[in-house]
Amino acid sequence: METQNKKDLAHARTKASFNITDMTNYLHNGPENVEHRRYIIDLIAKEPIFQKDDWAWLNHTDAVNRGVAMSTRLAEIIIENDLNDLDFATCLEAIDDTIPILLHNGAFIPVINSQGTDEQIEKWIPAAQKFQIIGCYAQTELGHGSNLSQLETTATFIKETDEWEINSTSFTASKWWIGGLGTLATHAVVQARLFIDGKDYGAHVFVVPIRSLEDHTPFPGIEVGDIGPKAYNGFNKMDNGFARFNKYRIPRENMLMRFSKVSREGVFTKPPHAKLSYGSMVLLRSVLIKQMAFHLSRATTVSTRYLTVRRQFNNPTSRNDADINPGLETQVINYPMVQNRLFPMIAQAYALFAAGSVMMDMYIRLMTSMSNGNIGALAEVHAMSSSLKSYCTTIGAAGAEECRKLMGGHGFSYFTGLSHLFATIVPSNTYEGDNYVLTQQMARYLLKEVKVARNDPEKSGADPSNEKTWSDYNIECYRVSHAHAQYILTLWFIQSIREAQSPENDDERRIEPATAKVLERLSHLHALHTIQTNLADFVEDGYFSPAQCSSLRAQVKVLVASLADDAVGLVDAFDHPDFLLNSALGASDGDAYKRLWDKAQMEPLNKKPVCDGYEKYIRPLLKKHGEVKL
Amino acid sequence: METQNKKDLAHARTKASFNITDMTNYLHNGPENVEHRRYIIDLIAKEPIFQKDDWAWLNHTDAVNRGVAMSTRLAEIIIENDLNDLDFATCLEAIDDTIPILLHNGAFIPVINSQGTDEQIEKWIPAAQKFQIIGCYAQTELGHGSNLSQLETTATFIKETDEWEINSTSFTASKWWIGGLGTLATHAVVQARLFIDGKDYGAHVFVVPIRSLEDHTPFPGIEVGDIGPKAYNGFNKMDNGFARFNKYRIPRENMLMRFSKVSREGVFTKPPHAKLSYGSMVLLRSVLIKQMAFHLSRATTVSTRYLTVRRQFNNPTSRNDADINPGLETQVINYPMVQNRLFPMIAQAYALFAAGSVMMDMYIRLMTSMSNGNIGALAEVHAMSSSLKSYCTTIGAAGAEECRKLMGGHGFSYFTGLSHLFATIVPSNTYEGDNYVLTQQMARYLLKEVKVARNDPEKSGADPSNEKTWSDYNIECYRVSHAHAQYILTLWFIQSIREAQSPENDDERRIEPATAKVLERLSHLHALHTIQTNLADFVEDGYFSPAQCSSLRAQVKVLVASLADDAVGLVDAFDHPDFLLNSALGASDGDAYKRLWDKAQMEPLNKKPVCDGYEKYIRPLLKKHGEVKL
């Protein structure tokens, strides 16, 4: 049946001023990548175990069991198709949830590869790649997350037997939040403070066998389990786990020794550069920026499509489709308030796509130069990834929730798909460095650079005076770091559009003029809206006069209105298939009400005409004070 | 065991500069109300059916079944203890979730009482009060929420049989989101467009029998069910339902006729005032403001307590407990950044308490004057409740999520209690009037008042010109309305503190000077922080110079720091018992880590040493490429 909903979305699609395929190629870096991404998503979409129809009803226990089954099938798919790390990330994007295998490929293997010696890599990695062992990464404890140097898990060298004794020295030493540890992992890379002869050498990493390869039972001396449900049902299929070690012994060679080393005699050797292991943090944060592009583009896709088919009230003067649909109410997306909330987020999603690509390139260049022993760029890239991680995950999570609220009443249904999305994104605001704590990295770096620029080298190092500490300037650090992230995001977005128009590109990579035109509007909107959101800072520092504030607000409105015909095309260009969106209200055919109805019919309560509690609870209440006829 | 966590919270409690009981009496309007609230909460807390231990694992289907059982027990408690509407609200506060009976007392009875004739009240209300019938309120449809006049459910007068024919005229006419309808209700008050001889008289309310009082089966001609899970597992125990009517007949006298009437002959009579039925909207919105005080105070309680016992890093110069705990890391609550995020929300919670009381008094005064036929105050009170509802539910939901994020990594556990809280609050941003749409009410009212003040009566009415409509000014309406709400909240908070010090109060109601002193600090912080959050508006309009902005920021910091010793006392004073908080991290004894551990042990996955999927999924994967010994 051709519902009005479907007609409305189809009609809106015809209005785009640019070629959607051309835009998709820009976003995903060329047609080969677009095709490859679709191919990988389809590997997942066609498998029964990855279907999402019953997710709304899984509690944590059932969800983890599902996550285990999904994990093992994903492992097989990786081997069958010889997938690389980028493909693995695309698989997870299509799967659309965290599952227990995530940290095996996402942390266990990379940490061994980067911190293990060649012999250790040879020992562990082939087995890990064939999933003969499955690993996780155990850093956080009940009592410590950010402050690595105060972890309470210890690894004490036992010279007599050439072993480490791994011990949870207190209740709060329990490892906590460890993805994969709750049910699946056979091994963990464990962060523990290294002790030799009573001396503390700080946190180091050790490969620790957790469960028997014979029958999967935890080894004696290890207490291990799942930490239970998370906020908003987020990470529901992930077996975030806990572990306590009771003087548990592992061989000396299970310490990863590419950097620090401990000899048979118990002699500790420091690494040449203390910060060599920062690389993996930079990677994780860079990946998060790319993920936010993906998340916010999904959220705006769902919201834009639904608001195009939703009609409410009649606004006689706003942009409307009264030419073809006289007598119908106004499409909600045609209200200026809605456009002014939604379109800046579409612009942000585009900016995030550009930032994700640039940041990842920057990381790859850093790794190349570091592998040649050159750590000159580390400080800047580390500060950049920290600052952008903090800002981008903040706007990503807030944007997903704003897109949900834009959908009004129906936005509170599970079947928007956006509550699941928010629940998946929002922990990124507090993990891999809390978004507030993290901003100190960029603030420190900028202060150092300012001092260098002022040619004041003896005072560089950015140490505060004796009276005040960094903590006393945390608010200022946060403001400075986010402002810098906004600047970088704006800059990279504009650069990305310029590069995409460069005559040096081959034809397939060069965008069409119509594409460039709408991208330029988006980049202007992104820049001006970002300023508007932080307007006080600009006025306070004299960059804007009060009169200019009002011009700015007017110009934001003009830019927003200019994107009205392109909105559906802009979100279509993100190229997120319905399988991935998993949204009744945001599906590509626009049939929102029909799909919402169909989803409701899946509710198990509706299988019976009278609910389970009737005889036991409802009937006795209704009859308690006698019968009535009404 | 006396853990460090417990010691830390106990020590922080000793620092308060005021008497906590005196503050609690201020917040809850006197010692009798404090005692009564505790008594009512205890009525709930002692019942097995209201225990919350397994909530984290209930899916929607199980949760609704639980909600039905909770509903019938609550009904019995209401009768057994002869509870009034305020007590009912306190019961729901203690129950801490929406359950199917909610709209019976919350909407079905009030709507019949306010819109039914004396005969209709006599017919329906005694049976409803004895729960011989259970009702709900069916307004929203799949295709329409805000725009009541375009509802697609019709009630057509059938003169031959003296009946109404209730009909869902299209697919999108399906009633949707109706709490209580999914499983529990026997009756619904249904909003439908009234037709007589083909003429549309607009939306009116009808009492419609839904399920048989004999066996609870839906009546022929009615298709009814549950709409399924909601975002973030919010309203999980509520059976939000759908219904479609297929030319379903009810007697003429089932139309509620206190205002509009239809005679046996089919003659329609208009009510004397078109807006007489606005009263119930004002009530619902006023109640929401009170609820936000309750919600945000809960969230800040949990966050403040946990951050007092959480220690991380060492900040040598910030306020610390190094005098009694040398060598321990700094309590997280002692970081200025944390205080500057958290304490303004404590101040907001206090402001919301004051606003909730004033708004409710205003509603009661309005009802009294309206029952005397005087609707003069309706416009102002309606605008005020709309504006405050929009602003207060916005800061309430955002604050709950901010409190959760303040707790860092552990904040993502379900066992903070705050994700459940946010999921319960956040739909209030889109129901009972979307928070953006709703702001037009106050903007219209203010514009009218400005014109009256300018003595320009012939132009009053606040109609926009021909070229522009209200929709084109929605952004400005939103800004103006929220600014006014901020002003009102600030004003009422200050007035409330003044009144509480008045010598005219009897001793029990007059606060002590130490209490007044900390309240004044809170009110100053609330005012200045609100300005800081919206600083661009103040600078843009010339109320603040750039130099004053920096003084303002400095003064906010000073006020925040001045509240450090009082934070725990201020949240203790809200008087939320542990049963109500249901939070491992925010319990009154401070034993956060121990409680988090204990909660994790309840995870069903931990009952077996090896997870269910091992034989079927994990073992085949591990063994597929041969065994390894590692």
Side-chain angles (χ1 to χ4, degrees), chain A residues 56-57 59-61 64 68-69 72 79 131-133 142-147 171-172 176-177 184 213-216 223 225-233 242 244 310 312-313 315 317 329 335-337 340-341 401 404-405 409-410 412-415 419 422-423 426-427 429-430 436 467 469 471-472 474-476 479 535-537 539-540 546 549 553 557 593-594 597 600-601 603-606 610 614 617-619 622-623 625-628 630, chain B residues 56-57 59-61 64 68-69 72 79 131-133 142-147 150 171-172 176-177 184 213-216 223 225-233 242 244 310 312-313 315 317 329 335-337 340-341 401 404-405 409-410 412-414 419 422-423 426-427 429-430 436 467 469 471-472 474-476 479 535-537 539-540 546 549 553 557 593-594 597 600-601 603-606 610 614 617-619 622-623 625-628 630:
Chain A
W57 290 274
N59 77 358
H60 177 59
T61 313
V64 167
V68 166
T72 56
I79 293 179
F131 299 97
Q132 292 166 306
I133 60 173
L142 205 40
H144 288 89
S146 306
N147 193 1
F171 177 66
T172 48
W176 206 262
W177 284 109
L184 183 65
L213 291 176
E214 291 314 306
D215 59 11
H216 214 59
E223 188 180 358
D226 182 286
I227 65 164
K230 270 85 51 169
Y232 311 131
N233 269 358
F242 63 83
R244 294 173 47 79
R310 175 77 173 174
Q312 204 80 181
F313 290 112
N315 179 15
T317 64
E329 291 166 273
Y335 288 96
M337 182 84 233
N340 277 274
R341 292 166 70 195
E401 171 63 2
R404 192 190 64 70
K405 284 199 287 202
H410 289 329
F412 191 51
S413 167
Y414 176 89
F415 303 118
S419 64
F422 177 78
V426 77
N429 291 358
T430 41
Y436 283 82
E467 294 79 33
T469 70
S471 306
D472 297 306
N474 276 355
I475 300 166
E476 289 74 14
R479 292 175 63 202
L535 198 48
D537 290 343
V539 192
E540 219 175 316
C549 292
R553 291 190 198 273
K557 276 188 174 186
Y593 296 139
K594 174 70 168 54
W597 173 275
Q601 305 316 310
E603 168 57 52
L605 290 165
N606 299 334
V610 173
Y614 174 64
Y617 298 108
I618 301 175
R619 188 178 168 86
L622 290 171
K623 304 300 177 193
H625 297 276
E627 308 251 338
V628 281
L630 284 170
Chain B
W57 290 274
N59 76 359
H60 177 58
T61 313
V64 167
V68 165
T72 57
I79 293 179
F131 299 96
Q132 293 166 305
I133 60 172
L142 204 40
H144 288 90
S146 306
N147 192 2
Q150 292 297 306
F171 177 66
T172 49
W176 205 262
W177 283 109
L184 183 64
L213 290 175
E214 291 313 305
D215 60 11
H216 214 56
E223 188 180 358
D226 183 285
I227 65 164
K230 269 86 49 171
Y232 311 132
N233 269 0
F242 63 82
R244 294 170 50 78
R310 174 77 174 176
Q312 203 81 181
F313 290 113
N315 179 16
T317 64
E329 290 167 274
Y335 288 96
M337 181 85 233
N340 276 274
R341 292 167 70 194
E401 170 63 2
R404 192 190 65 71
K405 285 199 286 201
H410 289 329
F412 191 51
S413 168
Y414 176 90
S419 64
F422 176 77
V426 77
N429 290 359
T430 41
Y436 283 82
E467 295 78 33
T469 71
S471 305
D472 297 306
N474 275 356
I475 300 167
E476 289 73 16
R479 292 173 65 201
L535 198 47
D537 290 342
V539 193
E540 220 175 314
C549 292
R553 291 190 197 274
K557 276 188 175 186
Y593 297 138
K594 175 68 169 55
W597 173 276
Q601 305 316 309
E603 168 56 52
L605 289 166
N606 299 334
V610 174
Y614 174 65
Y617 298 109
I618 301 176
R619 188 178 168 85
L622 291 170
K623 303 302 178 193
H625 297 276
E627 309 250 338
V628 282
L630 285 170

Side-chain angles (χ1 to χ4, degrees), chain A residues 280-342:
Chain A
S280 56
M281 280 195 285
V282 173
L283 175 61
L284 284 168
R285 289 169 190 160
S286 303
V287 167
L288 274 172
I289 298 161
K290 235 182 147 54
Q291 281 180 7
M292 289 305 129
F294 160 67
H295 289 314
L296 191 56
S297 61
R298 266 184 63 181
T300 51
T301 299
V302 168
S303 198
T304 301
R305 288 178 180 167
Y306 171 65
L307 294 170
T308 299
V309 305
R310 175 77 173 174
R311 293 171 176 274
Q312 204 80 181
F313 290 112
N314 222 321
N315 179 15
T317 64
S318 72
R319 295 183 64 86
N320 211 335
D321 56 350
D323 48 337
I324 60 158
N325 287 309
L328 293 185
E329 291 166 273
T330 300
Q331 290 167 282
V332 172
I333 203 165
N334 281 326
Y335 288 96
M337 182 84 233
V338 169
Q339 296 180 348
N340 277 274
R341 292 166 70 195
L342 178 59

Side-chain angles (χ1 to χ4, degrees), chain B residues 215-249:
Chain B
D215 60 11
H216 214 56
T217 52
F219 287 114
I222 300 181
E223 188 180 358
V224 62
D226 183 285
I227 65 164
K230 269 86 49 171
Y232 311 132
N233 269 0
F235 285 30
N236 206 26
K237 298 177 190 68
M238 179 61 96
D239 58 342
N240 294 90
F242 63 82
R244 294 170 50 78
F245 301 98
N246 183 14
K247 300 188 177 174
Y248 180 72
R249 296 282 184 97

Side-chain angles (χ1 to χ4, degrees), chain A residues 26 519 607 624:
Chain A
Y26 159 75
L519 280 171
K607 303 298 173 211
K624 192 163 190 170

Side-chain angles (χ1 to χ4, degrees), chain A residues 337 341 405, chain B residues 281-282 284-290 292 352 359 381-398 425-443 474-475 477-486 489:
Chain A
M337 182 84 233
R341 292 166 70 195
K405 284 199 287 202
Chain B
M281 279 195 287
V282 173
L284 284 167
R285 288 169 191 162
S286 303
V287 167
L288 274 172
I289 298 161
K290 236 183 144 56
M292 289 306 129
L352 287 169
M359 190 70 235
V381 181
H382 180 251
M384 196 75 96
S385 67
S386 300
S387 170
L388 284 175
K389 181 272 178 184
S390 172
Y391 179 68
C392 297
T393 61
T394 299
I395 63 171
I425 304 174
V426 77
S428 66
N429 290 359
T430 41
Y431 69 53
E432 296 305 331
D434 177 274
N435 277 359
Y436 283 82
V437 178
L438 209 51
T439 56
Q440 294 177 54
Q441 306 295 338
M442 178 53 92
N474 275 356
I475 300 167
C477 288
Y478 184 82
R479 292 173 65 201
V480 163
S481 174
H482 272 212
H484 193 70
Q486 288 162 353
L489 216 58

